Amino acid sequence: MLMQQVINGIVVGSVYGLFALGFTLLFGINHIMNMAHGSVFMWGAFAGLYAVIALDAPIYVALLAGMLAGGLISVVLDFVAFRPLRRRNSPEFSAIVSSIGADLVLLAIAQKVSNTAILRFPFDAFPVVIFTVLGLRIQLLQLVIIGLVVVMVFSLVWYLYRTGSGQRIRAVAYSEQTSRLLGINPGPVNMQVFFISGALAGMAGVLIGLVFNSVHFTMGEPLLLRAFVIIIIGGLGSIPGALIAGMLIGIVQTLSVAYIGSGVAEAIVFLSLFIVIVLRPTGLFGQTTAAMRVQRA
């Protein structure tokens, strides 16, 4: 049924959007393409899984564990892979290469820890409750995921535009040099941004692990590639763009798999990217500069 597939696509796509949100947040504020973001996502899923398996923790604790692990790993990445380069005013390409190296290290550790096995959440990790509405089967997990993603997005927007910390983040996004003149120390601000970005990725990792009941050390790599598509379609640095584009990609992918075949789903996703770039090079919500920087006024 078409509507059933659309709902499935919205659920998966909303998690894609959550993942891409952290990715675009770093780019919009620190102007960094963090190629290790997929590994942060993967380690968030691992942390949530091990919290359930080893500690018999409830799923909300697993989500918090995933967010905490993702946030901390992301902060460590900043200190190890990005901050030394910022101090030397190194070109952005150096940061990309550095993040690729960090990504390979995180992948190698996860491969060793998991012994390359596909890990799964216990069957009773989340209650299996199915609602039937107008002939559509909607799982409780799907409703919780959509609700969590909406709450996280609105919380992030509120934090950035309604708090003093958010104002400092936007000031650093506008100009790190100018923010120093205003008495803002960019160091703690950058730490906040990396933690938030990693926490979003960690939560997305746990949610994707629950949706597909599969956690693997390479699970972040295809999602990283998809995040590129999402943030370009949504517009670089745009928070609503990342969320809406993530849902669109999720729907396109799900419908492609259901009605055409899994073999061409990725091709259709990238065809969507090509069409959007041709019609609107800055993305659906993009402007001449990243949206978050424009919001500085």
Side-chain angles (χ1 to χ4, degrees):
M1 183 182 291
L2 177 62
M3 281 308 299
Q4 185 70 62
Q5 298 300 334
V6 170
I7 291 174
N8 295 339
I10 290 174
V11 173
V12 175
S14 63
V15 182
Y16 289 169
L18 192 65
F19 175 83
L21 195 58
F23 195 72
T24 199
L25 188 68
L26 276 183
F27 181 82
I29 295 173
N30 292 89
H31 321 302
I32 288 174
M33 283 286 185
N34 182 11
M35 304 302 290
H37 199 62
S39 288
V40 174
F41 161 87
M42 172 268 296
W43 272 106
F46 269 57
L49 177 70
Y50 286 128
V52 172
I53 293 177
L55 305 178
D56 196 24
I59 200 63
Y60 67 88
V61 175
L63 281 170
L64 292 175
M67 292 177 69
L68 183 61
L72 292 177
I73 291 172
S74 187
V75 169
V76 171
L77 282 178
D78 178 36
F79 275 92
V80 174
F82 299 117
R83 190 165 296 206
L85 298 177
R86 285 202 301 273
R87 286 175 181 159
R88 300 190 190 98
N89 291 321
S90 299
E92 294 177 0
F93 181 72
S94 300
I96 293 175
V97 174
S98 181
S99 66
I100 291 174
D103 181 55
L104 293 175
V105 171
L106 290 172
L107 278 174
I109 297 173
Q111 183 180 14
K112 184 70 175 177
V113 169
S114 66
N115 200 23
T116 71
I118 297 177
L119 307 175
R120 303 188 188 283
F121 283 91
F123 181 74
D124 58 349
F126 193 92
V128 180
V129 179
I130 299 176
F131 303 99
T132 302
V133 181
L134 301 175
L136 301 175
R137 290 164 56 86
I138 303 174
Q139 296 184 34
L140 177 60
L141 176 60
Q142 293 177 314
L143 295 176
V144 170
I145 287 174
I146 292 176
L148 277 175
V149 172
V150 170
V151 168
M152 292 302 295
V153 170
F154 275 97
S155 299
L156 180 62
V157 172
W158 174 82
Y159 185 77
L160 289 176
Y161 294 97
R162 291 289 183 270
T163 67
S165 296
Q167 289 178 345
R168 286 190 285 275
I169 289 174
R170 288 186 291 128
V172 172
Y174 170 57
S175 169
E176 189 169 312
Q177 188 175 6
T178 303
S179 67
R180 289 183 190 275
L181 295 175
L182 294 172
I184 299 173
N185 183 356
V189 173
N190 289 327
M191 192 185 301
Q192 281 185 62
V193 173
F194 271 90
F195 184 86
I196 294 172
S197 170
L200 292 174
M203 172 179 266
V206 177
L207 294 178
I208 283 291
L210 284 170
V211 169
F212 297 106
N213 199 14
S214 172
V215 176
H216 190 253
F217 78 100
T218 60
M219 64 186 289
E221 301 309 300
L223 209 59
L224 183 65
L225 191 59
R226 216 160 286 149
F228 273 113
V229 176
I230 290 170
I231 63 174
I232 292 173
I233 289 179
L236 288 171
S238 171
I239 292 177
L243 183 63
I244 293 174
M247 289 187 177
L248 289 175
I249 291 300
I251 293 172
V252 168
Q253 182 184 357
T254 304
L255 292 179
S256 301
V257 171
Y259 294 104
I260 301 177
S262 59
V264 297
E266 290 297 320
I268 293 177
V269 167
F270 284 98
L271 178 62
S272 306
L273 171 64
F274 175 75
I275 293 172
V276 170
I277 288 178
V278 169
L279 298 178
R280 189 172 169 81
T282 57
L284 298 176
F285 294 86
Q287 302 179 37
T288 51
T289 58
M292 295 188 67
R293 298 180 65 187
V294 171
Q295 294 295 334
R296 61 184 181 268

